[in-house]
Structure formats: structure tokens, C-alpha cells
Amino acid sequence: MKRRYKRDYVILESKDSSFRLKEKTSPKAFAKIEMKEDKANLMLYVENVKYIKQGYRVVIIEDDLNVKDIGRVLVNENGKGEFKISFNEENLDIKAIALTHDKKIPLIGFRGRKLQDYEDIIFAKENNIKDDTIENKVKFQMKEEKIEDNIHKLEIDNDLSKENNIKDNLSNPNLEIDEEDVEIKDEDIKQELSREENEEVIILDIDEKKEKKKKEKKEEDCSREEKREEINKEKLEEEDILRKYTEEKIYFVPRKLKKILNKYKEIKPFMEDIEDTRWWKIDISPMSICAYIMPYLGYINYINCTLYSDITSLSYKYRHYIFGIKYSEEGKRKYYIYGIPGRKNEQPDEGNTGFCHFIPCDNKYKTYGYWVCFIDCKSRLIAMAEE
């Protein structure tokens, strides 16, 4: 019988900036879940978190939204800490992992989709007490409203009885009319007229707001058309440049990809680089691991259809990876390249996920370098690059 082995990773993001160690650096955490036969191991690594003597509580949320407090992680003065725990369970169904302290959540990460109202789930006991108090307040308010309604009804009945008395007096010529009752009626009529005028003013205001919204929509539509025209102009300009400089090699980057790559540094990682290739260094972050668009690592996992790969663990170990574009002799895009840092004996997944070429960073020892994977620009599939 083959032994069952599964491995998964969860990146914890910062949710409370007051727990960061330094102003410019945000707290980070990385959880690794391994399942072997009848046991499950959870390892948590924390960085850049504010030092607290008693440490932070580690909480997990299972698939049935059951919350478990599994222990405490202690952090040193440099903001680093490690936590390990084993479970005697074949399948550990974890939906989320969080660090808590004093009714706050400094870090939390989700395995799969993000949970809504995760704070209410984690602090469920306290919320139950609060809900009871809120229900009591609502009941008390309902009682007060009923009392006020009864008082209001009594006042209306009294007013109707007064009006009937006045009508009876007017029908009888021998009886005297009270001037106070007549004045009260006049005041009521004035109030009703003022109310009708106010309602007409409110209706006019609503019509003006509707007209303003229509004008704003028209302006937005015009601005969208202008943006489209600008994009078309940019495309035409790029085509004109390509026509003018066909003899020279101009290494263009797609517009959507260029916006992302502008955030990262362009580098030359090798002593003897691949010809006609540009490289960028991508620092590790939750986006660079989880996002399923180029140049992020999730794109590679999507192509390989692998959930448990050495790609994420090695890139997280060295805190970066590289992304490159190789061009043909005519200056057109030929391959997209992902480079995972490591040593020659650290080949990701033994080459099963496309990382078959090792390029060293130095010519002398050739021990440290990058395992690279080539992706065809047209088919968007893993390809064997020309050596």
C-alpha cells in the first residue's frame, strides 16, 4: 500500500497595523500543513511581529466553522517565532488560521475562499453575550413604542370628540361658540398647509438630484469613450514604432504586464545571461504566491494543475524568485521564464513541473543559481527551450 502524503501552505496577512515591529514593515506569517497516514503536522513561522511577553494565541477554524485554540506562539525581540503541533487525524479540515491577542486579530490566513464575518466566528462566545443584551434592549424599546402608540391614540380620540362638540354647537344657534376651539382649528389647518408645501419642495429636490445623476452618467460615458480612443492611439503608435525600427531590436513588454513589472526591479541575475532576455526580481508576498496572473507564482501552479509543489516552499525560503521574457531575433516575444532560486541539488518536484534547466549565478563553483521553466508565449504551455 502507498503511503498517503499531502502538503499545503497558508499565507497569513496583517489585519491590525498596531502589531507590526517597525513602521515600514508589515507582519508576516507562513503556515505549512503536512498530512501523513493517520497524523497531521502544522508548522507556523512568524516575522516582523511586535514582541509581547505572553505571546499570541494560535486559532484554527475548521470546515464546520468550529473554532479551536491550539496553543501559543512566542515571539522574540526581533519579531520572529515558530510554532509546531501534531494532530492524530487523517484529514485536518482547516478553513483559516489566525493569531489573536486581547480580542484582536493581528494576522489571519485562509485556505481557499475568504470567510466573511471571521471575527464573529472566532469570538463567538463574547458575541453571544452581546446578542442577549441587544435582544433585551430591543424588547424594552418595543414596549416603550407600544405605550407611546396608545397615548397617541388617546390624544386623537380626544381631538375627534372636541371637533364633534364644536359641530354640535354650530348647528344649535342658541348655544355659544368657544373662540379657543376655533383658534385651535385654524392653527391645525395652517400646519397641514405648511406640510403640503414642504412635501412639494422635497419632490422638486428629488427631481433635481435625478437630473444631476443623468448628467454625471453622460459625463462618465464620454470619459470612457475618450479613454478608449487614447488606448487605440497608443496601439497605433506602437505599431508605427515597430514598422520604423524593424532593423533594430526593441524588446517590448505587453501593456498589462508592464504595469505589474514596473513595481519590481529589472536585474541581470547571471554572469553569462541568456541572449535577448530581460529579467525582473519578484519579492515574495501574498499576491506573488496566490494571484493567478502573470508574473505571479499562482500562474505556474494553474498551468501545472498542482496544489502541493516545491515551487512555493523554495521561493519562500529564499524570499524571492525571478521572471524573464526571452525574445526572438526579430525582437518578438518567444518565451516567458520563471526562475526559482536554489542549489543544484534542490530541483523543484524533480523536474515534473517544468523546472528542468539549472543556470548558475557564478562560473567558479556553480552551486547556487536558478531552476528555470520556459512557457511558450503563443500556446501558454510549458515548453522545452532551445539550449
Side-chain angles (χ1 to χ4, degrees):
M1 294 291 289
K2 293 183 178 180
R3 293 183 178 179
R4 293 182 179 179
Y5 178 77
K6 291 183 181 180
R7 182 170 54 189
D8 201 359
Y9 303 94
V10 179
I11 303 298
L12 279 71
E13 298 180 9
S14 174
K15 294 297 178 185
D16 195 335
S17 59
S18 63
F19 288 94
R20 61 188 179 187
L21 184 65
K22 296 178 182 178
E23 291 184 358
K24 294 182 180 179
T25 58
S26 59
K28 297 178 182 178
F30 174 74
K32 183 178 180 182
I33 303 165
E34 291 182 344
M35 284 172 272
K36 299 178 182 178
E37 293 182 350
D38 297 335
K39 288 186 179 181
N41 298 322
L42 188 147
M43 289 156 279
L44 184 68
Y45 305 94
V46 183
E47 289 185 358
N48 301 326
V49 180
K50 184 173 70 174
Y51 170 75
I52 295 175
K53 187 176 180 181
Q54 62 271 28
Y56 298 87
R57 303 298 305 181
V58 183
V59 176
I60 62 172
I61 303 174
E62 296 180 330
D63 277 351
D64 56 356
L65 301 182
N66 185 29
V67 181
K68 284 185 179 179
D69 189 343
I70 60 173
R72 191 183 295 273
V73 58
L74 298 175
V75 179
N76 59 21
E77 293 180 354
N78 295 323
K80 294 183 179 181
E82 293 184 5
F83 174 80
K84 295 181 182 180
I85 190 171
S86 298
F87 300 90
N88 292 323
E89 298 180 16
E90 185 177 355
N91 293 317
L92 185 63
D93 296 330
I94 294 177
K95 197 76 175 173
I97 303 171
L99 296 186
T100 64
H101 175 71
D102 194 17
K103 300 179 184 178
K104 294 180 180 179
I105 303 174
L107 288 163
I108 190 167
F110 302 96
R111 190 182 178 195
R113 293 182 179 178
K114 183 179 178 180
L115 286 174
Q116 294 182 353
D117 302 327
Y118 56 86
E119 292 182 358
D120 295 335
I121 295 168
I122 292 171
F123 303 115
K125 292 181 180 179
E126 297 176 3
N127 289 333
N128 288 332
I129 295 166
K130 290 179 182 177
D131 292 339
D132 293 337
T133 56
I134 290 165
E135 287 181 0
N136 292 328
K137 287 182 180 179
V138 169
K139 287 179 181 178
F140 183 73
Q141 288 177 358
M142 291 288 287
K143 287 180 181 179
E144 287 184 345
E145 288 176 358
K146 285 182 180 178
I147 293 164
E148 288 179 356
D149 290 337
N150 292 327
I151 292 166
H152 186 64
K153 286 179 181 178
L154 289 170
E155 288 177 352
I156 290 166
D157 293 336
N158 290 328
D159 292 335
L160 289 171
S161 63
K162 284 182 180 179
E163 287 179 1
N164 292 324
N165 290 327
I166 290 165
K167 286 179 182 179
D168 293 335
N169 291 330
L170 288 170
S171 62
N172 293 322
N174 295 323
L175 293 172
E176 294 180 358
I177 298 168
D178 292 334
E179 292 179 357
E180 291 180 358
D181 293 334
V182 174
E183 287 177 359
I184 289 165
K185 276 190 171 185
D186 290 337
E187 288 177 359
D188 293 335
I189 292 164
K190 288 178 182 179
Q191 287 178 0
E192 288 179 358
L193 290 170
S194 64
R195 284 176 186 173
E196 290 176 357
E197 290 175 356
N198 290 327
E199 287 176 356
E200 290 176 357
V201 171
I202 290 164
I203 291 165
L204 291 170
D205 290 337
I206 291 166
D207 293 333
E208 288 178 359
K209 287 179 180 178
K210 286 181 179 178
E211 289 177 358
K212 285 181 180 178
K213 286 182 179 179
K214 287 180 181 178
K215 288 180 181 178
E216 289 176 356
K217 284 182 179 179
K218 288 180 181 178
E219 290 175 356
E220 287 178 359
D221 293 332
C222 293
S223 63
R224 286 175 183 173
E225 290 178 357
E226 289 175 358
K227 287 179 180 178
R228 287 175 183 172
E229 289 176 357
E230 288 177 0
I231 291 165
N232 291 326
K233 285 180 181 178
E234 289 177 359
K235 288 180 179 178
L236 291 170
E237 287 175 359
E238 287 180 0
E239 290 175 359
D240 291 334
I241 291 166
L242 284 169
R243 288 172 187 171
K244 289 178 182 178
Y245 300 98
T246 52
E247 295 179 358
E248 297 179 2
K249 291 181 180 179
I250 301 172
Y251 300 140
F252 286 107
V253 179
R255 186 167 56 87
K256 291 181 180 179
L257 189 57
K258 189 176 181 180
K259 287 182 180 180
I260 301 171
L261 291 174
N262 283 335
K263 300 175 184 177
Y264 303 102
K265 290 182 181 179
E266 188 170 356
I267 60 169
K268 293 182 178 180
F270 309 110
M271 295 292 290
E272 294 180 3
D273 202 352
I274 303 171
E275 291 181 0
D276 303 326
T277 306
R278 296 176 67 180
W279 295 98
W280 290 266
K281 183 182 178 183
I282 313 296
D283 296 321
I284 283 297
S285 68
M287 280 295 292
S288 63
I289 290 176
C290 299
Y292 286 90
I293 57 173
M294 222 173 259
Y296 298 130
L297 283 179
Y299 186 82
I300 284 285
N301 289 329
Y302 180 77
I303 292 173
N304 292 326
C305 298
T306 55
L307 294 174
Y308 311 103
S309 175
D310 296 329
I311 299 167
T312 37
S313 59
L314 284 170
S315 58
Y316 187 82
K317 179 181 177 181
Y318 294 97
R319 297 297 191 274
H320 78 282
Y321 63 94
I322 59 174
F323 176 80
I325 304 175
K326 180 174 171 57
Y327 298 85
S328 63
E329 293 179 356
E330 295 96 15
K332 295 181 180 179
R333 296 188 305 277
K334 191 174 183 181
Y335 297 110
Y336 294 116
I337 311 171
Y338 284 83
I340 304 299
R343 301 187 182 276
K344 201 168 184 179
N345 59 352
E346 293 180 325
Q347 185 179 12
D349 306 313
E350 297 179 356
N352 294 324
T353 52
F355 292 86
C356 302
H357 298 272
F358 181 79
I359 305 174
C361 291
D362 57 345
N363 294 326
K364 289 183 179 180
Y365 301 103
K366 296 184 179 180
T367 55
Y368 177 83
Y370 292 86
W371 285 96
V372 295
C373 174
F374 293 82
I375 298 171
D376 192 300
C377 291
K378 291 182 180 179
S379 64
R380 299 298 178 97
L381 298 173
I382 293 168
M384 297 299 292
E386 298 173 3
E387 294 183 355

